[in-house]
Amino acid sequence: MNTAGSLRRQGPWLVLGLLVLAASALPLAWHYLVSYPRENWQVDLEVYREGARAIVTGFPLYDVRTVQPQFLPFTYPPFAAFTALPLLIAPFSVVGWIWTVLQCALLWWTVGIAFRLFLSRFGHRAGLAQGVLAAGGVWLLPVSDGVRFGQVNAVIVALCLWDVTRRSRVDGSWAGGSGVGVALAAAVKLTPGVFWLYWAVARRWKVLATSVGTAALVTIVSWFLLPPASATYWTDALLDPGRLGPNGGTSNQSLRGVLLRIGPPEGSLAFTAVNLLLVVAVLVAALPLARRFDRLGEPVAVVAVVGMAAYLISPVSWVHHMHWGVVVIGALLGDGRDLRRAAVAFVGAVLLWIRMPWWGANLLAGNEVPNAVARIVQNSYSWWAVLSLLALWLLVARKQQLPAEGSEPTSEGELSSARS
C-alpha cells in the first residue's frame, strides 16, 4: 500500500476527529481551569508539583503539604517525584492547561488502542470515529474528574495499555508485552503491580522479570538519590492509607472502601478477614480470566481484566481511578458486530457518564429510599468493576475457542484480518 497516499486519505479525517475531541473537551476544561474556584484548582497536580519542588529545595518529601485549604501530602513513591520535575518548568497556571491537553491526547490514544477492532471498520475515516469516541469519553465521570483534579490516571492506563498490547513489528506476534511500561507505572503508583501477578499466572516469565527488574532498578536509584524519603515511604507512608484522605467516603470505591461503609468496624479481626477474603476472591476470578485472554491473544481484554482487579483490591480507589473503564468498554465492544456486546458496552459507558456514587450518597442523606438501595447506588463503581469481569467472561472469553497447545495466539480480529 502507498503510505503517502494512505496518509493523504486518512489525514483530513484524523484532523477532523481531533477537532471534534477539542470541541468536546473545551467546555469541560474551561469549567475546571477557568471557572473553578482557585482553592480547588488542579489540587492533585499541585501535589505532584510540590513533590518535585521538595526534591529541588531539599524539603522532606513526605512532610510537604500543598497550600491552604487543601494541605494535601505527597503520597506516591519517591520515583514519582522525579517524574514530576518537568512540572516546575512553567507557571502552575500554564502547567494546568498543558496537563489537561496531555490527558486529552492520552485519552485519544487509549481509545485508538482499546477500540482498534471497532475503528478498523471505518477504513480511512477511522480518525474521525476515534475523535468522536474520545469526545464522548472525556465526559465519563472518571475521565472528567481526572481533568478536574489534574490526575495521573490517563498516564498510568496509557503506559500499561501501550506495554501489554505491544506486538512485533516484524511478524505481528505478541509476547505478552514488554514489561517496561507497567514497571514505570508501578514505580509511580503501585496498583499496576497486579500485572505482575497476571504475567506469573500466564507464565510470561521473561516479561515478568523485565518488568520487576525495571521497577526495582528505578526504585533503587531513587533510594540512592533520596535515602531518607525512600526510608520514610517504604516503612511509614506506604502503610498509612489515611494520608490519602478519608478512606470511608463515597469517593473510595474499592472493596475496602465499601467495607468501611457497610462492614465490620475497621481494625477488627472480622474486617481484616472479610477484606482479605474479598481480595483473594477477586484475584481467583480475575487472574485465570486474564490468562484465558492471554491464550486467546486479546491484550486489550487482558488490560481490562487486570485494571478492574487492581481497582477492586487496592486499599483506596477513587472515582477517577476508574479511567480503566475506557479500556473495559473497548474490550466489551470488540468490532461492534455482536449486538449484545455493543449493548452492554453502551450501558457501561452510560453508567460511567452519570454520577451514580454521588446519587447514592444523596439518597442516603435524603432517606427517600431504603438504605440498602442507596448503598448499592453509592457503591456502584465496585459493582461496575465486578459486573464488567462477569461480562468479559460471558460475552467475550467464553465465546472464543482456545488455540491448540503450543500454537501462537493471534486474535485481535486475527490481527485485523492479517493487516487487511
Side-chain angles (χ1 to χ4, degrees), residues 8 15 40 137 192 219 365 400:
R8 279 196 297 271
V15 171
N40 295 325
T219 300
Q400 299 187 45

Side-chain angles (χ1 to χ4, degrees), residues 14 17-19 21-22 25-26 29 96-114 130-131 133-135 137-138 143 147 151 153-155 157-159 161 323 326:
L14 176 62
L18 290 171
L19 289 174
L21 171 58
L26 184 58
W97 279 97
I98 294 173
W99 192 253
T100 299
V101 171
L102 175 63
Q103 288 187 78
C104 292
L106 290 174
L107 172 66
W108 179 85
W109 183 89
T110 296
V111 165
I113 301 299
Q130 184 175 349
L133 288 174
V138 79
V143 178
V147 173
Q151 256 292 334
N153 303 294
V155 178
V157 172
L159 274 173
L161 189 63
H323 197 103
V326 175

Side-chain angles (χ1 to χ4, degrees), residues 24-108:
S24 178
L26 184 58
L28 182 73
W30 190 270
H31 174 68
Y32 285 126
L33 278 75
V34 176
S35 304
Y36 215 52
R38 295 302 298 179
E39 61 268 21
N40 295 325
W41 200 82
Q42 300 285 281
V43 292
D44 288 332
L45 184 63
E46 188 178 15
V47 170
Y48 313 142
R49 182 178 165 95
E50 290 305 306
R53 192 190 306 279
I55 290 180
V56 173
T57 62
F59 193 86
L61 182 58
Y62 295 99
D63 289 341
V64 71
R65 293 292 187 275
T66 59
V67 298
Q68 61 179 356
Q70 304 297 338
F71 296 111
L72 297 176
F74 189 81
T75 60
Y76 306 95
F79 175 71
F82 286 106
T83 64
L85 286 172
L87 299 178
L88 298 174
I89 293 175
F92 189 42
S93 57
V94 175
V95 170
W97 279 97
I98 294 173
W99 192 253
T100 299
V101 171
L102 175 63
Q103 288 187 78
C104 292
L106 290 174
L107 172 66
W108 179 85

Side-chain angles (χ1 to χ4, degrees), residues 61-392:
L61 182 58
Y62 295 99
D63 289 341
V64 71
R65 293 292 187 275
T66 59
V67 298
Q68 61 179 356
Q70 304 297 338
F71 296 111
L72 297 176
F74 189 81
T75 60
Y76 306 95
F79 175 71
F82 286 106
T83 64
L85 286 172
L87 299 178
L88 298 174
I89 293 175
F92 189 42
S93 57
V94 175
V95 170
W97 279 97
I98 294 173
W99 192 253
T100 299
V101 171
L102 175 63
Q103 288 187 78
C104 292
L106 290 174
L107 172 66
W108 179 85
W109 183 89
T110 296
V111 165
I113 301 299
F115 292 81
R116 178 181 293 166
L117 291 181
F118 180 69
L119 294 173
S120 66
R121 295 176 58 186
F122 292 85
H124 64 275
R125 297 178 179 86
L128 174 58
Q130 184 175 349
V132 170
L133 288 174
V138 79
W139 288 94
L140 299 179
L141 179 59
V143 178
S144 64
D145 265 9
V147 173
R148 172 189 177 188
F149 295 116
Q151 256 292 334
V152 74
N153 303 294
V155 178
I156 299 299
V157 172
L159 274 173
C160 294
L161 189 63
W162 166 79
D163 187 335
V164 177
T165 61
R166 288 184 67 192
R167 289 180 180 267
S168 169
R169 293 187 177 182
V170 177
D171 57 6
S173 62
W174 179 61
S178 71
V180 175
V182 167
L184 296 176
V188 169
K189 209 166 191 174
L190 299 178
T191 49
V194 179
F195 281 93
W196 297 339
L197 300 178
Y198 143 64
W199 280 318
V201 169
R203 300 181 181 180
R204 300 280 190 180
W205 306 118
K206 181 179 178 181
V207 184
L208 175 60
T210 300
S211 190
V212 173
T214 303
L217 177 62
V218 298
T219 300
I220 291 170
V221 170
S222 300
W223 192 299
F224 277 115
L225 294 174
L226 291 174
S230 296
T232 299
Y233 178 78
W234 294 106
T235 64
D236 183 14
L238 173 62
L239 306 176
D240 181 15
R243 287 177 60 89
L244 301 172
N247 289 189
T250 300
S251 289
N252 184 9
Q253 290 284 309
S254 71
L255 291 175
R256 178 174 170 272
V258 174
L259 276 181
L260 287 170
R261 290 188 286 274
I262 67 172
E266 184 182 11
S268 66
L269 180 60
F271 181 92
T272 302
V274 173
N275 188 40
L276 179 61
L277 182 63
L278 290 173
V279 168
V280 171
V282 168
L283 292 177
V284 167
L287 292 178
L289 180 57
R291 182 178 185 273
R292 182 176 178 86
F293 280 126
D294 181 284
R295 293 281 312 281
L296 290 168
E298 297 282 359
V300 171
V302 167
V303 176
V305 169
V306 179
M308 288 299 92
Y311 189 86
L312 287 167
I313 70 174
S314 174
V316 177
S317 291
W318 304 128
V319 166
H320 50 74
H321 291 168
M322 187 50 88
H323 197 103
W324 296 104
V326 175
V327 183
V328 174
I329 294 168
L332 283 170
L333 180 62
D335 61 12
R337 290 186 170 91
D338 187 320
L339 294 183
R340 289 175 303 173
R341 289 177 61 176
V344 171
F346 176 76
V347 171
V350 170
L351 292 176
L352 290 186
W353 172 62
I354 60 181
R355 304 176 65 85
M356 283 193 69
W358 304 113
W359 285 7
N362 291 335
L363 289 173
L364 277 173
N367 294 317
E368 298 170 354
V369 300
N371 274 7
V373 175
R375 287 294 188 188
I376 290 173
V377 179
Q378 183 189 31
N379 301 323
S380 56
Y381 275 26
S382 285
W383 287 110
W384 198 97
V386 170
L387 292 175
S388 69
L389 292 175
L390 181 62
L392 285 165

